[in-house]
Amino acid sequence: MVEIKRRIPGARKVALCGISVALAATMCVPGAAFAQPTSADKLAEAQAALATLNTMRQQADEASANYGRALEQQAEAEAAHQDCLDRIDDANEEISAIQGKLSSRAHSMYKEGSASILDLLLGASTWEEFANNWDLLMSINQDDSEMVNQTKELRAEIEAQEAEAARQEQIATENANAAAQAEADARSAEATMQQTYDGLSAEAAELLAQEEAAQAAAEAAAAASVVEASAQEAAAAQAAGNSGNSGNGGSNGGGTVDNGGSAGGAVDNGSGTVDNGGGTANNGGGESYVEETTPSQPSYSASTGNAIVDRAYSQMGKPYVWGGVGPDGFDCSGLVGYALTGSYSRVGTTYTYMAWPQVSDPQPGDICTSSYHCGIYIGGGQMIHAPQTGDVVKVAPVQGDMIIVRCPW
């Protein structure tokens, strides 16, 4: 637990130092200190922040998983302590019974007096009877002695057990508190880096919009210039044709100007063809395509025939809530628990699922898990999971460090 707690602030410190070093390096470049940052610069900073954010997010998920395990261990320690207290109650009853026997024997001996013992010995008519009576008295004394020792040993045993159980419970509580603090620190660092990334992304988007607007204005001005020049050249060519030999027959003013695509005037003056600026300028007339691809995701059917998958699908869009087991929100293991059982209860944590049998033929309804995250496998390399704070239950690709296991019951 302590190791996790130390890693989170360290990761944050490394990330902040990395950004500081990058900024310092930029300031050392001649002229860079006064240069206006471009959208590409800001995007590069945002991508670096995103990489750090993803690392912090994984560390926070690991801290959350460790906290969940610490809570389980705390509950186990509390149960063991309670078992010990129950054992103490039983032992106290045994001690009371033993003490009762000793008290009754002492009372009987006091009441009857030593004469009864002498009568028992001296009243024997034969040596054999005397020996038997003596052995009987020795046996009674031995039993009394053993009961006393048994009482002492039993009391010492239960006191030692109670002390150990209390110590284990205290350790488990301290571990749970440390894990809770580590989880809180990790989530705080993650939130801070999320703000940094969001700010850099917003700056990059703003700069990109400004650059695109400036580029569009420049292209529009260039297009207008090309159109104007083409029109002037066409007019000049037409005027030259009108003043030439009209006997050659032709078409005066036959220039063609394509302001959207071809900006080359073609004029036939009867004696030939004059191509003024016969180049092709595509000033906004062409089409720009940006191909966007999204990973294929299984379409949702109201009933897939797989109860586990159907239950997972039924919670799509519900918000991530740390410690949530439904119905209004889930964390990753809470969602898996609901999908497996249909009840709003936790089956276990990622540590529980990691111990389940791994499969080589993954089927919908199996569990995708790592040491810090889990989800329900739905086929096609996809899973339904509750990702993180601020997100919702959704379909996503199975993460690279996950294994796929099957519920053993």
Side-chain angles (χ1 to χ4, degrees):
M1 305 302 173
V2 175
E3 179 182 356
I4 293 294
K5 185 175 180 181
R6 290 176 178 170
R7 287 172 57 196
I8 301 305
R12 182 179 177 187
K13 186 179 295 182
V14 169
L16 295 177
C17 289
I19 294 176
S20 300
V21 170
L23 292 176
T26 302
M27 295 179 65
C28 293
V29 178
F34 304 99
Q36 182 69 23
T38 65
S39 61
D41 296 333
K42 285 296 177 183
L43 183 59
E45 290 183 41
Q47 290 300 315
L50 178 60
T52 303
L53 175 61
N54 288 334
T55 299
M56 288 184 169
R57 184 169 294 155
Q58 179 172 337
Q59 291 173 335
D61 289 341
E62 290 176 350
S64 295
N66 288 332
Y67 180 38
R69 178 57 181 158
L71 290 178
E72 288 182 355
Q73 292 174 339
Q74 182 182 17
E76 292 170 359
E78 290 174 353
H81 192 189
Q82 185 59 49
D83 289 343
C84 185
L85 293 176
D86 293 340
R87 172 61 179 150
I88 289 174
D89 291 340
D90 294 340
N92 284 332
E93 292 180 3
E94 293 181 32
I95 291 173
S96 296
I98 293 172
Q99 289 175 340
K101 292 179 180 179
L102 290 173
S103 177
S104 297
R105 186 177 303 283
H107 176 73
S108 176
M109 291 177 67
Y110 173 78
K111 183 178 179 181
E112 295 178 2
S114 58
S116 61
I117 299 175
L118 292 175
D119 290 343
L120 180 64
L121 295 175
L122 300 178
S125 58
T126 65
W127 172 255
E128 182 179 359
E129 185 179 355
F130 176 85
N132 289 336
N133 290 341
W134 178 261
D135 290 340
L136 177 60
L137 288 174
M138 292 299 100
S139 176
I140 292 173
N141 290 333
Q142 181 66 28
D143 289 343
D144 290 347
S145 177
E146 289 179 355
M147 282 192 289
V148 171
N149 290 334
Q150 183 181 358
T151 302
K152 292 180 180 179
E153 292 174 357
L154 189 57
R155 186 178 299 278
E157 176 188 350
I158 61 177
E159 288 178 353
Q161 289 178 352
E162 197 280 331
E164 177 61 19
R167 189 181 73 86
Q168 291 297 332
E169 183 179 4
Q170 178 64 27
I171 291 174
T173 300
E174 292 174 356
N175 288 343
N177 292 338
Q181 185 61 50
E183 198 271 343
D185 291 344
R187 290 300 179 194
S188 176
E190 177 190 359
T192 300
M193 185 53 64
Q194 181 74 56
Q195 292 176 352
T196 300
Y197 169 68
D198 292 343
L200 290 172
S201 296
E203 290 182 42
E206 182 178 359
L207 287 173
L208 181 60
Q210 294 174 358
E211 291 169 0
E212 289 178 344
Q215 183 179 0
E219 290 177 350
S225 177
V226 170
V227 170
E228 182 179 359
S230 179
Q232 291 174 352
E233 291 175 359
Q238 183 177 1
N242 288 336
S243 63
N245 184 5
S246 60
N248 291 330
S251 174
N252 296 320
T256 300
V257 179
D258 182 359
N259 294 330
S262 177
V267 180
D268 183 359
N269 292 320
S271 60
T273 300
V274 178
D275 183 2
N276 297 314
T280 299
N282 185 355
N283 299 311
E287 296 187 16
S288 176
Y289 295 92
V290 178
E291 183 177 357
E292 296 183 358
T293 60
T294 55
S296 60
Q297 297 189 0
S299 60
Y300 171 55
S301 170
S303 177
T304 65
N306 185 310
I308 296 176
V309 174
D310 288 344
R311 283 193 286 263
Y313 264 124
S314 71
Q315 303 305 308
M316 293 275 283
K318 294 286 184 70
Y320 176 94
V321 177
W322 191 89
V325 293
D328 298 323
F330 297 88
D331 62 12
C332 62
S333 58
L335 175 66
V336 170
Y338 172 74
L340 291 176
T341 65
S343 64
Y344 298 116
S345 60
R346 192 178 304 280
V347 172
T349 66
T350 52
Y351 288 100
T352 305
Y353 306 138
M354 288 286 287
W356 285 3
Q358 187 174 353
V359 295
S360 58
D361 58 338
Q363 300 296 320
D366 288 339
I367 299 95
C368 311
T369 186
S370 64
S371 63
Y372 60 89
H373 193 51
C374 57
I376 295 296
Y377 184 66
I378 59 174
Q382 305 284 305
M383 66 177 176
I384 297 177
H385 70 147
Q388 61 199 12
T389 302
D391 214 332
V392 298
V393 176
K394 62 184 181 182
V395 175
V398 175
Q399 297 174 358
D401 58 350
M402 285 182 161
I403 61 173
I404 299 181
V405 300
R406 187 159 296 160
C407 180
W409 33 265

